[in-house]
Amino acid sequence: MTGPIRILGIDPGLRRTGWGLISVIGTKLTYVDCGVVTSDGDLPLALRLRELHEGIARVVSGFSPDEVAVEETFVNKDAQATLKLGHARAIALLVPALAGLPVSEYAANLVKKTVCGSGHAEKVQIQAMVKFLMPKAEFKTADAADALAIAVTHANHRGAHALKKLHAPVAGVSGLAAARIAAALAKE
């Protein structure tokens, strides 16, 4: 039996980036901690991104996760807001990558479907299900609850990621079966 895996979920945002850390042994999920990294809206974008970088770096170095999961960006009607969210998301991907951690990404609908059973669940439903799955979870904001939900999603899908790596075609080697398996797994 292997030891617990510590998974850090990150819900990126320029104002508030939620983070949530869980521990997983088999199918047992245990709440560790969660919170929010904020940036000062009065600062220029570059300094706000630096605040996010420093905050996420403190979380990563302080909690030493084994794996990280980040929510993917959804495109909305406001292109400027989507671009700013993309900047924050880049920081959320970069910090753990610089620490040498494996980073996985999940669409918001998949997170909602995994945690609540519906890809169109409301934030209140997500918070209720996170609390149901981990009764000791203490989150003060929806951002932190969302980050915990992202970590839970990774806990449920990390086996599929391992299979994808195992069956991925090797560079320079022609393998029709491996290519078919990788294509089938990519459709999940």
Side-chain angles (χ1 to χ4, degrees), residues 49-87:
L49 294 174
R50 186 177 92 183
E51 285 183 329
L52 292 179
H53 183 280
E54 291 169 351
I56 296 169
R58 277 192 302 273
V59 170
V60 168
S61 68
F63 288 101
S64 303
D66 299 301
E67 300 173 12
V68 178
V70 178
E71 187 173 77
E72 290 180 348
T73 302
F74 64 93
V75 178
N76 59 31
K77 294 177 184 173
D78 183 355
Q80 193 68 20
T82 301
L83 183 59
K84 287 180 180 178
L85 177 58
H87 292 316

Side-chain angles (χ1 to χ4, degrees), residues 56-142:
I56 296 169
R58 277 192 302 273
V59 170
V60 168
S61 68
F63 288 101
S64 303
D66 299 301
E67 300 173 12
V68 178
V70 178
E71 187 173 77
E72 290 180 348
T73 302
F74 64 93
V75 178
N76 59 31
K77 294 177 184 173
D78 183 355
Q80 193 68 20
T82 301
L83 183 59
K84 287 180 180 178
L85 177 58
H87 292 316
R89 191 170 170 282
I91 298 297
L93 293 167
L94 177 65
V95 171
L98 288 172
L101 299 171
V103 180
S104 298
E105 303 172 65
Y106 297 95
N109 283 350
L110 179 61
V111 173
K112 292 174 183 179
K113 187 170 185 169
T114 301
V115 174
C116 298
S118 169
H120 301 289
E122 299 293 327
K123 290 215 178 266
V124 173
Q125 291 171 295
I126 294 169
Q127 292 172 11
M129 284 307 296
V130 166
K131 194 70 172 160
F132 176 77
L133 293 169
M134 295 176 291
K136 293 183 180 181
E138 296 178 15
F139 43 85
K140 294 181 173 108
T141 68

Side-chain angles (χ1 to χ4, degrees), residues 5-22:
I5 302 295
R6 294 167 65 89
I7 300 172
L8 176 65
I10 301 177
D11 181 29
L14 188 55
R15 282 189 208 137
R16 291 179 312 275
T17 290
W19 62 270
L21 187 73
I22 65 173

